[in-house]
Amino acid sequence: MNPGPSRDRLLVSAEALAAELARDPAPVLLDVRWRLGGPPGIDSYRRGHLPGALYVGSWSNWIADPARPVATGA
């Protein structure tokens, strides 16, 4: 069984991230603050986040949201 990537390979140092952000095009940073049974992460995001990071919101709503009608354009 493959244990997957090690944690060390998923995290980057502040220096490495700063170097990547200085490149053109810079990577897009997504802030996905979420905790099972916890409050929404938007308040925590507003108190502080990496410069330029976009708040993704409660992704659990995306995977658990009931189906919605799709507009057909007709």
Side-chain angles (χ1 to χ4, degrees):
M1 182 173 175
N2 182 357
S6 73
R7 182 178 172 101
D8 293 338
R9 293 187 59 181
L10 297 176
L11 300 177
V12 298
S13 68
E15 294 82 12
L17 178 58
E20 287 297 318
L21 292 173
R23 296 177 64 142
D24 187 26
V28 175
L29 302 178
L30 303 177
D31 191 310
V32 187
R33 296 176 196 234
W34 180 82
R35 190 172 76 206
L36 182 62
I42 188 67
D43 292 333
S44 180
Y45 169 82
R46 287 179 179 146
R47 285 192 297 271
H49 55 273
L50 292 171
L54 304 174
Y55 181 67
V56 174
S58 180
W59 65 270
S60 64
N61 288 343
W62 299 350
I63 63 172
D65 203 17
R68 296 183 182 157
V70 177
T72 62

